[in-house]
Amino acid sequence: MTPPRARTWGRRGCTPVVRVRGRGSGRVSMAGMTCYKAGERARLFYAVREYAGRKGQPKGFGWRDFRDLIVRARIQLGGPIVLVWDNVRLHLTKPLREFIDANAEWVTVVQLPTYAPDLNPTEGVWSLVKRDIGNLAAANLSQVTRAVKHRLKTLQYRPDVIDGCLAGTGLALGT
C-alpha cells in the first residue's frame, strides 16, 4: 500500500509542511473479500501483511494466503462460495487454480474483465481505508498497520457500508 495523500489547508501563500519520522521503507499489504447473500448482512474478510524490508520476509501475499482466506470464509459462511475475481496475477497462478479445481463442489470463480476496478466492490473498501488514513503521520510502519487493521475491523461491523460498496459498482444480487 503506497502512502495515500489527502488534502489539508493553510493560509494563502504558506504551504503547510508535515514532518514525520521514519525511513519510509516498508509497506502494508491487504487482501480481502466482500461477501454478499440476499437477505443477509454483508461480510468482510481480510488479511493484512506488514513488510519491513527484512531479508527473507515475504513482500506480499502468496497463493497460500489467498487459499487460507477462501477457506476461512467458507468455514465462517458455511456454504458454497462464488468468487468474483479481478485479474491479479496471483489469482491466475497454477497452484491456486489447482486448489479451486479440487474444491469445485463449493467454490466457483467468475473473472472480471481485464481492467475493471469499478466492478469490484472490494476496491470500494480499499478506498475507504486509504481515505481514513490519508492524513496519518505515523512514526513507524506498525502504526500504519494498526490504523489499517482498526479501520478494517470497524468496517466489518458496518454491513451498510459494505453494501454501499456493492451499490457503487452498479451491480445487484440476483436471486
Side-chain angles (χ1 to χ4, degrees), residues 41-110:
R41 72 179 182 90
R43 307 278 298 269
L44 172 66
F45 296 97
Y46 66 88
V48 176
R49 171 163 286 162
E50 182 179 295
Y51 173 67
R54 292 187 185 94
K55 187 175 181 178
Q57 182 183 16
K59 290 184 180 179
F61 289 95
W63 72 269
R64 288 181 183 93
D65 299 313
F66 283 109
R67 178 200 61 197
D68 295 345
L69 188 64
I70 294 167
V71 169
R72 194 173 79 206
R74 162 90 157 70
I75 290 169
Q76 290 188 20
L77 295 172
I81 295 175
V82 177
L83 291 172
V84 180
W85 265 353
D86 51 7
N87 286 321
V88 171
R89 198 175 16 170
L90 210 51
H91 293 169
L92 306 172
T93 60
K94 185 177 178 183
L96 197 53
R97 285 285 166 200
E98 290 172 355
F99 167 75
I100 290 168
D101 292 340
N103 295 293
E105 67 274 358
W106 61 268
V107 65
T108 307
V109 174
V110 177

Side-chain angles (χ1 to χ4, degrees), residues 1-2 4-6 30 125-135 151:
M1 184 170 131
T2 58
R5 294 186 182 143
M30 302 178 287
V125 172
W126 303 147
S127 174
L128 291 169
V129 171
K130 287 180 180 183
R131 186 182 321 155
D132 190 52
I133 65 168
N135 283 329
R151 181 62 175 148

Side-chain angles (χ1 to χ4, degrees), residues 34 36 44 121-130 152 155 162 165:
T34 53
Y36 303 95
L44 172 66
T122 309
E123 293 293 335
V125 172
W126 303 147
S127 174
L128 291 169
V129 171
K130 287 180 180 183
L152 287 168
L155 286 172
I162 300 170
C165 292

